[in-house]
Amino acid sequence: MKILVLNSGSSSVKFQIFQMQEVKSIVTGLIEQIGEESSTITLKLNSGKVVTRIQKIADHIAGLDITRSLLIEEKVIESLDELDGIGHRVVHGGEHFSQAAYINESVMQKIEKLIPLAPLHNPANLDGIKVALKLSPNVPNVAVFDTAFHQSIPDYAYMYALPYHLYENQGVRKYGFHGTSHHFVSLEAAKLLNKPLSSLNAITLHLGNGGSATAIENGKSIDTSMGLTPLEGLIMGTRSGDIDPAILFYLSRTKGYSIDDLDRLLNKESGLKGICGANDMRQIIDMAEDGDKKAILALEMFNYRIKKYIGSYSAILGHVDCIVFTGGIGENDDMARANCCKNLENLGIQLDLEKNAIRSKEARDISLPQSRVKVFVIPTNEELAIAQQTQKVVQDMRM
Ligand code: ADP
């Protein structure tokens, strides 16, 4: 069974094809700078061969059409009809979708209706879907939503203490994101613990350019740090995470900041970058090692915020089987892991600093044998998770 995974942005599309029997990726690729004079398509084949094509690509349909030709030229596939399914990453599924959905007219309308909640992502995701349907009308398309895993969060956790009509009429509530990743690593954690997901209590920490923490009870998300949008919660590369909302009124009144200024400030100019000028964790670590005080502060703030979430999620879960670190920072930055878990013995968390320092691409336990709460590093694989969910929807449909 072959599944194509598409992650469509406004000017780029990431794609990957999986051979599901062997759980193996057979090609990855990226279409970049769609709409510009020199758009680029890059294919990375399993053989190690990299194919790059630079030419004007007017829109998503042209991009995928050229990609199809390249895939055929490189003998990855003979035609798109050979695919058993196409899985699309869709950022916002609102309250409609608690799992992946076979794409039909009604699903597309729902994704479109959710555009006000994800104005940057859902239109591009929808473009990707429309193009795939046009180029390969015989292949089933499946939408896999970033929000779906968090639909199990109870109302007292997802509601904001705002007038109720804003929830009823405007959909203002916590939705949460990175759901595909939190779900994927919790499945892997359950395997490491040799227990079913349905009895796993975990705190999963997805720390990449964006970051979020999730509390998982009996395999289900019961709270997560991102909210109505991906801005809430942890300190991220360029996003502030939690702040006092009154800061916005204060800046508007004292500095005349407009809504757009505030949006840019909180989403693009804050977080690690706002504090120390850099948003890439590797660069910040180098700066801190050179004694840069703002970089040291940024790291301290980053770890402190994660620790607060570990504490609050430990409180709501009561019993915690494991903490999972994932994402570019969670998987690679042993100092961040050590600092987030420091002095948490009272919560049953005891890191093995030697194991923590070992670099590896494998899922692994980095806690001491006596640690009541296991600490795992589990590489996430959102594309594979999308492919697996797509496969399940396609197989269920065929039955
Ligand atoms: P995205 O959220 O865009 O998918 P990633 O999950 O790839 O991002 O994470 C990117 C972050 O991971 C960057 O801040 C990068 O510096 C950090 N990172 C990658 N490798 C390392 C490393 N070896 N040590 C510390 N941070 C790392």
Side-chain angles (χ1 to χ4, degrees), residues 178 206-210 279-283 285 327-329 332-333 359 382:
H178 290 146
H206 178 108
L207 310 174
N209 284 314
N279 59 286
D280 188 288
M281 189 51 99
R282 284 164 291 198
Q283 192 185 344
I285 294 170
I329 300 171
N332 296 299
D333 185 352
R359 295 190 63 81
E382 287 168 281

PDB file of all heavy atoms in Angstrom, residues 178 206-210 279-283 285 327-329 332-333 359 382, ligand 1:
ATOM      1  N   HIS A 178      -0.638  20.481  17.163  1.00  0.00           N
ATOM      2  CA  HIS A 178       0.379  19.409  17.247  1.00  0.00           C
ATOM      3  C   HIS A 178      -0.248  18.077  17.659  1.00  0.00           C
ATOM      4  O   HIS A 178       0.447  17.192  18.169  1.00  0.00           O
ATOM      5  CB  HIS A 178       1.468  19.718  18.318  1.00  0.00           C
ATOM      6  CG  HIS A 178       2.400  20.825  17.971  1.00  0.00           C
ATOM      7  ND1 HIS A 178       2.928  21.668  18.918  1.00  0.00           N
ATOM      8  CD2 HIS A 178       2.921  21.201  16.787  1.00  0.00           C
ATOM      9  CE1 HIS A 178       3.735  22.533  18.338  1.00  0.00           C
ATOM     10  NE2 HIS A 178       3.745  22.283  17.039  1.00  0.00           N
ATOM     11  N   HIS A 206       6.089  18.611  23.018  1.00  0.00           N
ATOM     12  CA  HIS A 206       6.570  18.767  21.636  1.00  0.00           C
ATOM     13  C   HIS A 206       7.287  20.111  21.574  1.00  0.00           C
ATOM     14  O   HIS A 206       6.661  21.172  21.644  1.00  0.00           O
ATOM     15  CB  HIS A 206       5.380  18.725  20.653  1.00  0.00           C
ATOM     16  CG  HIS A 206       5.810  18.923  19.235  1.00  0.00           C
ATOM     17  ND1 HIS A 206       5.816  17.905  18.315  1.00  0.00           N
ATOM     18  CD2 HIS A 206       6.273  20.012  18.592  1.00  0.00           C
ATOM     19  CE1 HIS A 206       6.272  18.364  17.157  1.00  0.00           C
ATOM     20  NE2 HIS A 206       6.552  19.653  17.313  1.00  0.00           N
ATOM     21  N   LEU A 207       8.613  20.061  21.468  1.00  0.00           N
ATOM     22  CA  LEU A 207       9.401  21.297  21.499  1.00  0.00           C
ATOM     23  C   LEU A 207      10.155  21.460  20.185  1.00  0.00           C
ATOM     24  O   LEU A 207      11.199  20.847  19.968  1.00  0.00           O
ATOM     25  CB  LEU A 207      10.398  21.246  22.674  1.00  0.00           C
ATOM     26  CG  LEU A 207       9.820  20.869  24.048  1.00  0.00           C
ATOM     27  CD1 LEU A 207      10.934  20.722  25.071  1.00  0.00           C
ATOM     28  CD2 LEU A 207       8.802  21.906  24.506  1.00  0.00           C
ATOM     29  N   GLY A 208       9.592  22.249  19.279  1.00  0.00           N
ATOM     30  CA  GLY A 208      10.254  22.548  18.010  1.00  0.00           C
ATOM     31  C   GLY A 208      10.307  24.057  17.878  1.00  0.00           C
ATOM     32  O   GLY A 208      10.453  24.761  18.885  1.00  0.00           O
ATOM     33  N   ASN A 209      10.163  24.578  16.654  1.00  0.00           N
ATOM     34  CA  ASN A 209      10.055  26.038  16.526  1.00  0.00           C
ATOM     35  C   ASN A 209       8.806  26.516  17.240  1.00  0.00           C
ATOM     36  O   ASN A 209       8.794  27.536  17.898  1.00  0.00           O
ATOM     37  CB  ASN A 209      10.007  26.438  15.051  1.00  0.00           C
ATOM     38  CG  ASN A 209      11.380  26.351  14.440  1.00  0.00           C
ATOM     39  OD1 ASN A 209      12.358  26.812  15.025  1.00  0.00           O
ATOM     40  ND2 ASN A 209      11.470  25.731  13.269  1.00  0.00           N
ATOM     41  N   GLY A 210       7.718  25.759  17.051  1.00  0.00           N
ATOM     42  CA  GLY A 210       6.534  25.939  17.889  1.00  0.00           C
ATOM     43  C   GLY A 210       6.616  24.883  18.975  1.00  0.00           C
ATOM     44  O   GLY A 210       7.308  23.878  18.798  1.00  0.00           O
ATOM     45  N   ASN A 279      16.178  32.845  17.272  1.00  0.00           N
ATOM     46  CA  ASN A 279      15.088  31.913  17.566  1.00  0.00           C
ATOM     47  C   ASN A 279      15.499  30.454  17.367  1.00  0.00           C
ATOM     48  O   ASN A 279      14.765  29.547  17.723  1.00  0.00           O
ATOM     49  CB  ASN A 279      13.841  32.228  16.741  1.00  0.00           C
ATOM     50  CG  ASN A 279      14.109  32.158  15.262  1.00  0.00           C
ATOM     51  OD1 ASN A 279      14.749  33.047  14.713  1.00  0.00           O
ATOM     52  ND2 ASN A 279      13.643  31.102  14.618  1.00  0.00           N
ATOM     53  N   ASP A 280      16.676  30.233  16.797  1.00  0.00           N
ATOM     54  CA  ASP A 280      17.131  28.856  16.595  1.00  0.00           C
ATOM     55  C   ASP A 280      17.868  28.402  17.860  1.00  0.00           C
ATOM     56  O   ASP A 280      18.839  29.028  18.284  1.00  0.00           O
ATOM     57  CB  ASP A 280      18.071  28.797  15.385  1.00  0.00           C
ATOM     58  CG  ASP A 280      18.405  27.358  15.024  1.00  0.00           C
ATOM     59  OD1 ASP A 280      19.162  26.710  15.776  1.00  0.00           O
ATOM     60  OD2 ASP A 280      17.895  26.886  14.004  1.00  0.00           O
ATOM     61  N   MET A 281      17.380  27.318  18.441  1.00  0.00           N
ATOM     62  CA  MET A 281      17.919  26.877  19.737  1.00  0.00           C
ATOM     63  C   MET A 281      19.424  26.622  19.687  1.00  0.00           C
ATOM     64  O   MET A 281      20.141  26.956  20.629  1.00  0.00           O
ATOM     65  CB  MET A 281      17.156  25.637  20.195  1.00  0.00           C
ATOM     66  CG  MET A 281      17.473  25.211  21.588  1.00  0.00           C
ATOM     67  SD  MET A 281      17.338  26.565  22.778  1.00  0.00           S
ATOM     68  CE  MET A 281      15.742  26.283  23.484  1.00  0.00           C
ATOM     69  N   ARG A 282      19.918  26.063  18.564  1.00  0.00           N
ATOM     70  CA  ARG A 282      21.362  25.773  18.498  1.00  0.00           C
ATOM     71  C   ARG A 282      22.174  27.061  18.607  1.00  0.00           C
ATOM     72  O   ARG A 282      23.185  27.121  19.290  1.00  0.00           O
ATOM     73  CB  ARG A 282      21.702  25.044  17.195  1.00  0.00           C
ATOM     74  CG  ARG A 282      21.292  23.593  17.237  1.00  0.00           C
ATOM     75  CD  ARG A 282      21.264  22.989  15.884  1.00  0.00           C
ATOM     76  NE  ARG A 282      20.168  23.554  15.101  1.00  0.00           N
ATOM     77  CZ  ARG A 282      19.669  23.014  14.009  1.00  0.00           C
ATOM     78  NH1 ARG A 282      20.181  21.917  13.535  1.00  0.00           N
ATOM     79  NH2 ARG A 282      18.670  23.574  13.375  1.00  0.00           N
ATOM     80  N   GLN A 283      21.680  28.099  17.922  1.00  0.00           N
ATOM     81  CA  GLN A 283      22.381  29.388  17.963  1.00  0.00           C
ATOM     82  C   GLN A 283      22.321  29.978  19.382  1.00  0.00           C
ATOM     83  O   GLN A 283      23.313  30.522  19.872  1.00  0.00           O
ATOM     84  CB  GLN A 283      21.701  30.331  16.959  1.00  0.00           C
ATOM     85  CG  GLN A 283      22.502  31.583  16.691  1.00  0.00           C
ATOM     86  CD  GLN A 283      21.726  32.544  15.781  1.00  0.00           C
ATOM     87  OE1 GLN A 283      20.739  32.156  15.119  1.00  0.00           O
ATOM     88  NE2 GLN A 283      22.126  33.799  15.764  1.00  0.00           N
ATOM     89  N   ILE A 285      22.071  28.370  22.189  1.00  0.00           N
ATOM     90  CA  ILE A 285      22.987  27.610  23.069  1.00  0.00           C
ATOM     91  C   ILE A 285      24.421  28.119  22.871  1.00  0.00           C
ATOM     92  O   ILE A 285      25.151  28.368  23.828  1.00  0.00           O
ATOM     93  CB  ILE A 285      22.890  26.092  22.784  1.00  0.00           C
ATOM     94  CG1 ILE A 285      21.497  25.585  23.190  1.00  0.00           C
ATOM     95  CG2 ILE A 285      23.986  25.310  23.512  1.00  0.00           C
ATOM     96  CD1 ILE A 285      21.184  24.165  22.739  1.00  0.00           C
ATOM     97  N   GLY A 327      10.175  16.619  19.175  1.00  0.00           N
ATOM     98  CA  GLY A 327      10.408  17.854  18.405  1.00  0.00           C
ATOM     99  C   GLY A 327      11.910  18.132  18.367  1.00  0.00           C
ATOM    100  O   GLY A 327      12.685  17.519  19.130  1.00  0.00           O
ATOM    101  N   GLY A 328      12.331  19.029  17.481  1.00  0.00           N
ATOM    102  CA  GLY A 328      13.759  19.298  17.274  1.00  0.00           C
ATOM    103  C   GLY A 328      14.513  19.578  18.570  1.00  0.00           C
ATOM    104  O   GLY A 328      15.624  19.071  18.776  1.00  0.00           O
ATOM    105  N   ILE A 329      13.923  20.353  19.463  1.00  0.00           N
ATOM    106  CA  ILE A 329      14.593  20.676  20.733  1.00  0.00           C
ATOM    107  C   ILE A 329      14.461  19.505  21.708  1.00  0.00           C
ATOM    108  O   ILE A 329      15.446  19.056  22.297  1.00  0.00           O
ATOM    109  CB  ILE A 329      14.010  21.976  21.340  1.00  0.00           C
ATOM    110  CG1 ILE A 329      14.218  23.149  20.373  1.00  0.00           C
ATOM    111  CG2 ILE A 329      14.626  22.259  22.705  1.00  0.00           C
ATOM    112  CD1 ILE A 329      13.493  24.437  20.751  1.00  0.00           C
ATOM    113  N   ASN A 332      16.801  16.649  20.753  1.00  0.00           N
ATOM    114  CA  ASN A 332      18.250  16.868  20.626  1.00  0.00           C
ATOM    115  C   ASN A 332      18.931  17.641  21.754  1.00  0.00           C
ATOM    116  O   ASN A 332      20.140  17.582  21.880  1.00  0.00           O
ATOM    117  CB  ASN A 332      18.528  17.638  19.321  1.00  0.00           C
ATOM    118  CG  ASN A 332      18.125  16.834  18.112  1.00  0.00           C
ATOM    119  OD1 ASN A 332      18.659  15.757  17.894  1.00  0.00           O
ATOM    120  ND2 ASN A 332      17.163  17.328  17.352  1.00  0.00           N
ATOM    121  N   ASP A 333      18.154  18.395  22.508  1.00  0.00           N
ATOM    122  CA  ASP A 333      18.783  19.315  23.453  1.00  0.00           C
ATOM    123  C   ASP A 333      18.784  18.712  24.862  1.00  0.00           C
ATOM    124  O   ASP A 333      17.819  18.873  25.619  1.00  0.00           O
ATOM    125  CB  ASP A 333      18.012  20.648  23.402  1.00  0.00           C
ATOM    126  CG  ASP A 333      18.661  21.715  24.248  1.00  0.00           C
ATOM    127  OD1 ASP A 333      19.617  21.403  24.990  1.00  0.00           O
ATOM    128  OD2 ASP A 333      18.203  22.869  24.180  1.00  0.00           O
ATOM    129  N   ARG A 359      23.474  10.858  22.555  1.00  0.00           N
ATOM    130  CA  ARG A 359      22.695  11.263  21.370  1.00  0.00           C
ATOM    131  C   ARG A 359      22.242  10.015  20.619  1.00  0.00           C
ATOM    132  O   ARG A 359      22.993   9.059  20.464  1.00  0.00           O
ATOM    133  CB  ARG A 359      23.545  12.117  20.441  1.00  0.00           C
ATOM    134  CG  ARG A 359      23.961  13.446  21.054  1.00  0.00           C
ATOM    135  CD  ARG A 359      24.583  14.329  19.997  1.00  0.00           C
ATOM    136  NE  ARG A 359      23.613  14.657  18.959  1.00  0.00           N
ATOM    137  CZ  ARG A 359      22.708  15.612  19.068  1.00  0.00           C
ATOM    138  NH1 ARG A 359      22.634  16.338  20.142  1.00  0.00           N
ATOM    139  NH2 ARG A 359      21.876  15.846  18.074  1.00  0.00           N
ATOM    140  N   GLU A 382       5.423  13.106  12.197  1.00  0.00           N
ATOM    141  CA  GLU A 382       4.049  13.508  11.895  1.00  0.00           C
ATOM    142  C   GLU A 382       3.607  12.990  10.530  1.00  0.00           C
ATOM    143  O   GLU A 382       2.450  12.637  10.340  1.00  0.00           O
ATOM    144  CB  GLU A 382       3.922  15.031  11.968  1.00  0.00           C
ATOM    145  CG  GLU A 382       3.954  15.521  13.406  1.00  0.00           C
ATOM    146  CD  GLU A 382       4.126  17.020  13.550  1.00  0.00           C
ATOM    147  OE1 GLU A 382       5.269  17.488  13.417  1.00  0.00           O
ATOM    148  OE2 GLU A 382       3.125  17.710  13.775  1.00  0.00           O
TER     149      GLU A 382
HETATM  150  P1  ADP B   1       9.460  22.662  13.481  1.00  0.00           P
HETATM  151  O1  ADP B   1       8.608  23.060  14.645  1.00  0.00           O
HETATM  152  O2  ADP B   1       9.657  23.755  12.494  1.00  0.00           O
HETATM  153  O3  ADP B   1       9.130  21.310  12.893  1.00  0.00           O
HETATM  154  P2  ADP B   1      11.755  21.298  14.632  1.00  0.00           P
HETATM  155  O4  ADP B   1      10.932  20.297  15.366  1.00  0.00           O
HETATM  156  O5  ADP B   1      12.609  20.819  13.521  1.00  0.00           O
HETATM  157  O6  ADP B   1      10.908  22.519  14.135  1.00  0.00           O
HETATM  158  O7  ADP B   1      12.692  22.021  15.722  1.00  0.00           O
HETATM  159  C1  ADP B   1      13.502  23.087  15.379  1.00  0.00           C
HETATM  160  C2  ADP B   1      14.256  23.512  16.641  1.00  0.00           C
HETATM  161  O8  ADP B   1      15.050  22.404  17.082  1.00  0.00           O
HETATM  162  C3  ADP B   1      15.205  24.672  16.387  1.00  0.00           C
HETATM  163  O9  ADP B   1      15.113  25.607  17.444  1.00  0.00           O
HETATM  164  C4  ADP B   1      16.557  23.986  16.406  1.00  0.00           C
HETATM  165  O10 ADP B   1      17.582  24.841  16.825  1.00  0.00           O
HETATM  166  C5  ADP B   1      16.313  22.897  17.435  1.00  0.00           C
HETATM  167  N1  ADP B   1      17.373  21.876  17.355  1.00  0.00           N
HETATM  168  C6  ADP B   1      17.660  21.046  16.318  1.00  0.00           C
HETATM  169  N2  ADP B   1      18.771  20.306  16.614  1.00  0.00           N
HETATM  170  C7  ADP B   1      19.200  20.707  17.843  1.00  0.00           C
HETATM  171  C8  ADP B   1      20.279  20.345  18.692  1.00  0.00           C
HETATM  172  N3  ADP B   1      21.167  19.427  18.327  1.00  0.00           N
HETATM  173  N4  ADP B   1      20.372  20.956  19.895  1.00  0.00           N
HETATM  174  C9  ADP B   1      19.476  21.889  20.266  1.00  0.00           C
HETATM  175  N5  ADP B   1      18.442  22.269  19.509  1.00  0.00           N
HETATM  176  C10 ADP B   1      18.300  21.702  18.323  1.00  0.00           C
END
